[in-house]
Amino acid sequence: MTNDRRLRTVDLARLAGLSTQQIRNYEDAGVLPPAGRTDSGHRVFGERHRRALLTYRRLLQGYGPVVATAVMRTVHAGDVPGALARVDAAHAALHEERVSLRAAKEALATLAGRETGPPPGSGGLRIGEVAALIGVRTSALRVWEAAGLLAPDRERGTGYRVYGPADVRDARVVHTLRRSHYLFDQIRPVLDGLRREGGSAALRAAVEERGRLLTARTRAMLAGAGALHAYLEDVEDP
């Protein structure tokens, strides 16, 4: 890759619509490779710096500033495998988000059109009744409670567990997702979403919106990875 084109800080800033201070900050952070200096101390950039800046801007859209900065800094430190490992980790984290989203969709399918618990005013159900209703052992309900997935009230005086409609709903969700081999840590965000959104209808809307955002982010990450691949070819084959 030729690096004959000389660019001032202001030239590089104009190419990306940035301030000259941002360009200086990018060099100091390792987002750009070290710049040359004139006799008077002014930075002198070249074609490689321009490519690095454009690559970073593409990475930024999909991976965010923390990962994008770390990737470029690691590349410019000469550790390409380390930079690629950071890209891998970002994709793995995105996959986990998709797993949680899929779990939420399965839970919503389970809840659709089903009675989730005792009728209003019934006073709730005891643990044995809930176990029989959803088809599990009482020991399973206790394990899920110990894991923080369920939190039924306790009856005054006796201390017996009392499951209201939301508790039975949560137990049904846990049972469905455990049968699909989801881990507790993957189930917990689904329950949090149900409780936060106030019901399955609101969660369904949130899940659909999250799905759209994940798709957009995946496409942006692919574009960023493509730009990084092209930049690495230039770096490794000057």
Side-chain angles (χ1 to χ4, degrees):
M1 178 182 68
T2 61
N3 198 29
D4 297 330
R5 183 183 180 191
R6 290 166 60 91
L7 298 169
R8 299 169 299 168
T9 303
V10 66
D11 298 326
L12 200 58
R14 286 171 179 165
L15 285 173
L18 302 172
S19 69
T20 55
Q21 185 58 53
Q22 283 176 294
I23 297 298
R24 297 186 192 100
N25 292 344
Y26 283 168
E27 187 200 0
D28 292 342
V31 167
L32 304 178
R37 293 291 193 278
T38 64
D39 291 340
S40 58
H42 294 296
R43 291 174 171 83
V44 178
F45 297 100
E47 179 62 16
R48 182 181 175 188
H49 298 92
R50 186 189 72 83
R51 293 291 302 276
L53 178 60
L54 295 178
T55 299
Y56 174 72
R57 300 288 286 180
R58 295 302 296 270
L59 287 172
L60 195 63
Q61 294 174 30
Y63 296 87
V66 174
V67 174
T69 298
V71 167
M72 296 301 290
R73 181 189 297 127
T74 307
V75 167
H76 294 141
D79 183 11
V80 171
L84 296 178
R86 292 181 181 275
V87 171
D88 290 343
H91 283 272
L94 187 67
H95 172 70
E96 286 303 314
E97 289 190 55
R98 287 198 179 278
V99 169
S100 294
L101 194 69
R102 187 168 63 248
K105 289 180 178 178
E106 288 191 27
L108 289 168
T110 297
L111 295 176
R114 297 189 62 171
E115 181 65 39
T116 59
S122 67
L125 298 177
R126 297 286 177 84
I127 188 170
E129 294 172 311
V130 175
L133 179 66
I134 67 175
V136 299
R137 296 177 182 271
T138 56
S139 58
L141 293 172
R142 294 190 181 95
V143 169
W144 300 342
E145 182 180 346
L149 300 177
L150 303 178
D153 290 333
R154 295 280 183 158
E155 191 176 73
R156 285 187 178 181
T158 66
Y160 290 143
R161 294 171 177 84
V162 178
Y163 292 77
D167 300 312
V168 178
R169 175 204 65 194
D170 292 351
R172 195 186 300 280
V173 167
V174 175
H175 178 46
T176 297
L177 297 183
R178 288 297 290 162
R179 285 190 301 178
S180 296
H181 308 292
Y182 287 97
L183 303 177
F184 287 163
D185 285 346
Q186 295 168 331
I187 296 172
R188 193 169 288 109
V190 178
L191 297 175
D192 290 343
L194 273 171
R195 295 161 185 161
R196 180 176 61 253
E197 301 298 339
S200 58
L203 178 60
R204 184 173 291 104
V207 165
E208 290 174 357
E209 176 62 19
R210 185 59 183 161
R212 287 191 289 269
L213 291 174
L214 284 179
T215 296
R217 186 179 170 197
T218 298
R219 293 174 67 94
M221 289 173 75
L222 287 174
L228 178 63
H229 173 70
Y231 181 67
L232 290 178
E233 287 191 329
D234 289 337
V235 170
E236 295 174 334
D237 186 22

